Amino acid sequence: MNTSYSVIIPTYNRAHTVVKAVESALNQTVAPLEVIVADDASTDNTEAVLKKMGNHKIKYLKIEHAGLPATPRNAAIKIAKGDWLAFLDSDDEWQKEKMEKQFSALRQTGLLASSTNAYVKLPTGITKRLILDCKKKTIKLGDLLLGDYIICSSAVIHRSIIQTTSGFPEDIRFKAIEDCHLWLRVSVLTDFAYINEPLVIYTDDPKNSIRGEQYASDELKKKVLVMKDFKKWMKKRYPFSLRLNFTIAMSKIYKIPLFFYNKIKRHEHPPHR
C-alpha cells in the first residue's frame, strides 16, 4: 500500500500554535511527503515562525483572505502531491503513531478514508476526556446522518475521493461545518476506517474558534442546509435519489438505519495498494 501523504493545515493568525501542529505532523513514525500550511492572509508572524523551522517538507502557501477554512484547505489540496490527504487544524496536534495506525487500518479494511478519536485540550491544558463515544470499527453514511463522528484533524482520505467530491464547500452558509458537508459526500464513496483511540489532541477554545463565533451559533439550521445540499448532490449522482432522499429524511426524524445503503455500488477508484 502506498503511504505517500500530504498534510493539509489551514491557518489564520495562529503563529502561537501552528508550530506545534506542524511539528506533530513532521514527527510521525510514518513521515509525510510534505506539510502544506495554507495561510488565509495572517497578519501575525506565521510565515516567519514557519521559515525559522527550516524544514524543506514545510510548504507555505499564502492566499487572499477568505475567512472560510474551506478556502485554504482547497488551495492546499490543489498543490498536494501525496496519494493521501491528511487534515490537521493549526491549533490541534497529532500523536506520533497516528498515521502509522491509520494506514494499518486502511490496509486491513481496503477502505479509502480513516478517522480517529481525540483528547480534548482546554485553555488550561490537555484533559483525558474523549470527544467521541463511539465503539464502531467503521463509520458509514447512516452514522453521519445521525451525528458528527468525524474529527477533521483526524481525517485521512485518498485523493481520488476528494477529487470526486470536489473538496470542501466554499459557501458562507456552511461556515464552521464545511467539514461535515464533505464527510457526507465521502461516505457515499467509502466508509471510514475508525480507530477509537485518541490519536489527536483537539483544542476546545470557543473564544478563539470559528465554531464559537456568533454566525456558527445556530448549528442546527446550518445542518439542515447541509442535508438539503447533500440531497441535491445525490440526486445528480444516483437515479434512485428520490428514494434515498426519503430514507434520509426518515432516518433523521425517526433514527431509522439506512440498511439499504450498504447495497449502493461503490465507484471505482485508481489502485492505491
Side-chain angles (χ1 to χ4, degrees), residues 14-57:
R14 281 182 174 164
H16 59 294
T17 63
V18 71
V19 171
K20 285 188 176 181
V22 171
E23 286 178 341
S24 74
L26 292 172
N27 292 334
Q28 291 295 296
T29 52
V30 175
L33 176 67
E34 59 189 355
V35 177
I36 305 174
V37 180
D39 188 349
D40 193 26
S42 291
T43 57
D44 64 2
N45 62 331
T46 292
E47 183 175 4
V49 298
L50 291 173
K51 286 184 176 179
K52 188 176 180 180
M53 294 180 72
N55 192 304
H56 71 281
K57 288 190 175 183

Coordinates of all heavy atoms in Angstrom, one line a residue, residues 14-57:
R14 N -2.4 32.2 13.8 CA -2.1 31.2 14.9 C -0.6 30.9 14.9 O -0.2 29.7 15.1 CB -2.9 30.0 14.6 CG -4.4 30.2 15.1 CD -5.1 28.9 14.9 NE -6.5 29.0 15.5 CZ -7.5 28.2 15.2 NH1 -7.3 27.2 14.3 NH2 -8.7 28.3 15.7
A15 N 0.2 31.9 14.8 CA 1.7 31.7 14.9 C 2.0 31.0 16.3 O 3.0 30.3 16.3 CB 2.4 33.0 14.8
H16 N 1.2 31.3 17.3 CA 1.5 30.7 18.6 C 1.1 29.2 18.7 O 1.5 28.6 19.7 CB 0.7 31.5 19.7 CG -0.8 31.5 19.5 ND1 -1.4 32.1 18.4 CD2 -1.8 31.0 20.2 CE1 -2.7 31.9 18.5 NE2 -2.9 31.3 19.6
T17 N 0.4 28.7 17.8 CA 0.0 27.3 17.9 C 0.5 26.4 16.6 O 0.6 25.2 16.7 CB -1.5 27.1 18.0 OG1 -2.2 27.6 16.9 CG2 -2.0 27.8 19.3
V18 N 0.7 27.1 15.5 CA 0.9 26.4 14.3 C 2.2 25.6 14.3 O 2.3 24.5 13.7 CB 0.9 27.3 13.0 CG1 2.1 28.2 13.0 CG2 0.8 26.5 11.7
V19 N 3.2 26.0 15.0 CA 4.5 25.3 15.0 C 4.3 23.9 15.7 O 4.8 22.9 15.2 CB 5.6 26.1 15.8 CG1 6.8 25.3 16.0 CG2 5.9 27.4 15.0
K20 N 3.6 23.9 16.8 CA 3.3 22.6 17.4 C 2.6 21.6 16.5 O 2.8 20.4 16.5 CB 2.6 22.8 18.7 CG 3.5 23.3 19.9 CD 2.8 23.3 21.2 CE 3.7 23.7 22.3 NZ 3.0 23.7 23.6
A21 N 1.6 22.2 15.8 CA 0.8 21.4 14.9 C 1.7 20.8 13.8 O 1.7 19.6 13.5 CB -0.3 22.2 14.2
V22 N 2.5 21.6 13.2 CA 3.5 21.2 12.1 C 4.5 20.2 12.7 O 4.7 19.2 12.0 CB 4.2 22.4 11.5 CG1 5.3 22.0 10.6 CG2 3.2 23.3 10.8
E23 N 5.0 20.4 13.8 CA 6.0 19.5 14.4 C 5.3 18.1 14.6 O 6.0 17.1 14.4 CB 6.5 20.1 15.7 CG 7.5 21.2 15.6 CD 7.9 21.8 16.9 OE1 7.2 21.6 17.9 OE2 9.0 22.4 16.9
S24 N 4.1 18.1 15.1 CA 3.4 16.9 15.3 C 3.2 16.1 14.1 O 3.2 14.8 14.1 CB 2.1 17.1 16.0 OG 1.1 17.6 15.2
A25 N 3.1 16.8 12.9 CA 3.0 16.1 11.6 C 4.3 15.6 11.1 O 4.4 14.5 10.6 CB 2.4 17.1 10.6
L26 N 5.3 16.4 11.3 CA 6.7 16.0 10.9 C 7.2 14.9 11.7 O 8.1 14.1 11.2 CB 7.6 17.2 10.9 CG 7.4 18.4 10.0 CD1 8.2 19.6 10.3 CD2 7.6 17.9 8.5
N27 N 6.8 14.7 12.9 CA 7.4 13.7 13.8 C 6.7 12.4 13.8 O 6.9 11.5 14.7 CB 7.4 14.3 15.3 CG 8.4 15.4 15.5 OD1 9.4 15.5 14.7 ND2 8.1 16.3 16.4
Q28 N 5.8 12.2 12.8 CA 5.1 10.9 12.7 C 6.1 9.7 12.4 O 7.1 9.9 11.7 CB 4.1 11.0 11.5 CG 2.9 11.9 11.8 CD 2.1 11.4 13.0 OE1 1.5 10.4 12.9 NE2 2.0 12.2 14.0
T29 N 5.7 8.6 12.9 CA 6.5 7.4 12.7 C 6.5 7.0 11.2 O 7.4 6.3 10.7 CB 6.0 6.2 13.6 OG1 4.6 6.0 13.4 CG2 6.4 6.5 15.0
V30 N 5.4 7.4 10.5 CA 5.4 7.3 9.1 C 5.4 8.7 8.6 O 4.4 9.4 8.7 CB 4.1 6.6 8.6 CG1 4.0 6.6 7.0 CG2 4.0 5.1 9.0
A31 N 6.6 9.1 8.0 CA 6.8 10.5 7.7 C 5.9 11.0 6.5 O 5.7 10.2 5.6 CB 8.3 10.7 7.4
P32 N 5.5 12.2 6.6 CA 4.7 12.8 5.5 C 5.6 13.2 4.3 O 6.8 13.4 4.4 CB 4.1 14.0 6.1 CG 5.1 14.5 7.1 CD 5.6 13.2 7.7
L33 N 5.0 13.2 3.1 CA 5.7 13.7 1.9 C 6.0 15.2 2.0 O 7.0 15.7 1.7 CB 4.9 13.4 0.7 CG 5.5 13.9 -0.7 CD1 6.8 13.1 -1.0 CD2 4.5 13.7 -1.8
E34 N 5.0 15.9 2.6 CA 5.0 17.3 2.7 C 4.0 17.8 3.8 O 3.0 17.0 4.0 CB 4.7 18.0 1.4 CG 3.4 17.6 0.8 CD 3.1 18.1 -0.6 OE1 4.0 18.8 -1.2 OE2 2.1 17.7 -1.2
V35 N 4.2 18.9 4.3 CA 3.2 19.6 5.2 C 2.9 20.9 4.6 O 3.7 21.8 4.6 CB 3.8 19.7 6.6 CG1 2.8 20.4 7.5 CG2 4.1 18.4 7.2
I36 N 1.7 21.0 4.1 CA 1.3 22.3 3.4 C 0.5 23.1 4.4 O -0.6 22.8 4.9 CB 0.4 22.0 2.2 CG1 1.1 21.1 1.2 CG2 0.1 23.3 1.5 CD1 0.3 20.6 0.1
V37 N 1.0 24.3 4.8 CA 0.4 25.3 5.6 C -0.3 26.3 4.7 O 0.4 27.1 4.1 CB 1.3 25.9 6.6 CG1 0.5 26.9 7.5 CG2 2.0 24.8 7.5
A38 N -1.6 26.3 4.6 CA -2.3 27.3 3.8 C -2.8 28.4 4.7 O -3.7 28.2 5.5 CB -3.5 26.6 3.1
D39 N -2.2 29.6 4.5 CA -2.4 30.7 5.3 C -3.4 31.7 4.7 O -3.2 32.2 3.6 CB -1.0 31.4 5.5 CG -1.1 32.5 6.6 OD1 -2.2 32.9 7.0 OD2 -0.1 33.1 7.0
D40 N -4.5 31.9 5.5 CA -5.6 32.7 5.0 C -5.3 34.2 5.3 O -6.0 34.9 5.9 CB -6.9 32.3 5.7 CG -8.1 32.9 5.1 OD1 -8.1 33.2 3.9 OD2 -9.1 33.1 5.8
A41 N -4.1 34.6 4.8 CA -3.6 36.0 4.9 C -3.5 36.5 6.3 O -4.0 37.5 6.7 CB -4.5 36.9 4.1
S42 N -2.7 35.7 7.1 CA -2.5 36.1 8.5 C -1.8 37.4 8.6 O -1.0 37.8 7.7 CB -1.6 35.0 9.2 OG -2.3 33.8 9.4
T43 N -2.1 38.2 9.7 CA -1.4 39.5 9.9 C -0.4 39.4 11.0 O 0.2 40.4 11.4 CB -2.4 40.5 10.2 OG1 -3.2 40.1 11.4 CG2 -3.4 40.8 9.1
D44 N -0.2 38.1 11.6 CA 0.8 38.0 12.6 C 2.1 37.4 12.0 O 2.3 37.5 10.7 CB 0.3 37.0 13.7 CG 0.0 35.6 13.2 OD1 0.3 35.3 12.0 OD2 -0.4 34.8 14.0
N45 N 3.0 36.8 12.7 CA 4.3 36.3 12.2 C 4.3 34.9 11.8 O 5.3 34.2 12.0 CB 5.4 36.6 13.2 CG 5.2 35.9 14.5 OD1 4.1 35.7 14.9 ND2 6.3 35.6 15.2
T46 N 3.1 34.4 11.3 CA 3.0 33.0 11.0 C 4.1 32.5 10.0 O 4.8 31.5 10.2 CB 1.6 32.7 10.4 OG1 0.6 32.8 11.4 CG2 1.6 31.3 9.8
E47 N 4.3 33.3 8.9 CA 5.2 32.9 7.9 C 6.6 32.9 8.5 O 7.4 31.9 8.2 CB 5.2 33.9 6.7 CG 6.1 33.6 5.6 CD 6.0 34.5 4.4 OE1 5.2 35.5 4.5 OE2 6.6 34.2 3.4
A48 N 7.0 33.8 9.3 CA 8.3 33.9 9.9 C 8.6 32.7 10.8 O 9.7 32.1 10.7 CB 8.5 35.2 10.7
V49 N 7.7 32.3 11.6 CA 7.9 31.2 12.5 C 8.1 29.9 11.8 O 8.8 29.0 12.2 CB 6.9 31.1 13.6 CG1 6.8 32.3 14.5 CG2 5.5 30.8 13.1
L50 N 7.4 29.7 10.7 CA 7.4 28.5 9.9 C 8.8 28.5 9.1 O 9.4 27.4 9.1 CB 6.3 28.4 8.9 CG 4.9 28.2 9.5 CD1 3.8 28.3 8.4 CD2 4.8 26.8 10.2
K51 N 9.2 29.6 8.6 CA 10.5 29.6 7.9 C 11.6 29.3 8.9 O 12.6 28.7 8.5 CB 10.7 31.0 7.2 CG 9.8 31.2 6.0 CD 10.2 32.5 5.3 CE 9.4 32.6 4.0 NZ 9.6 33.9 3.3
K52 N 11.5 29.8 10.1 CA 12.5 29.6 11.1 C 12.7 28.1 11.4 O 13.8 27.7 11.9 CB 12.1 30.4 12.4 CG 13.2 30.4 13.4 CD 12.8 31.2 14.6 CE 13.9 31.3 15.7 NZ 13.6 32.1 16.9
M53 N 11.7 27.3 11.2 CA 11.8 25.9 11.5 C 12.8 25.2 10.5 O 13.3 24.2 10.8 CB 10.4 25.2 11.3 CG 9.4 25.6 12.4 SD 7.7 24.8 12.2 CE 8.1 23.2 12.7
G54 N 12.9 25.8 9.3 CA 14.0 25.3 8.4 C 13.8 23.9 7.9 O 14.8 23.2 7.7
N55 N 12.6 23.4 7.7 CA 12.4 22.1 7.2 C 11.8 22.1 5.8 O 10.8 22.8 5.5 CB 11.4 21.3 8.1 CG 11.3 19.9 7.8 OD1 11.1 19.4 6.7 ND2 11.5 19.1 8.9
H56 N 12.5 21.4 4.9 CA 12.2 21.5 3.5 C 10.8 20.9 3.2 O 10.2 21.1 2.1 CB 13.2 20.8 2.6 CG 13.2 19.3 2.7 ND1 13.8 18.6 3.8 CD2 12.7 18.3 1.9 CE1 13.7 17.4 3.7 NE2 13.0 17.1 2.5
K57 N 10.3 20.1 4.1 CA 9.0 19.5 3.8 C 7.8 20.4 4.1 O 6.7 20.2 3.7 CB 8.8 18.2 4.7 CG 9.6 17.1 4.3 CD 9.3 15.8 5.1 CE 10.0 14.6 4.6 NZ 9.6 13.3 5.2

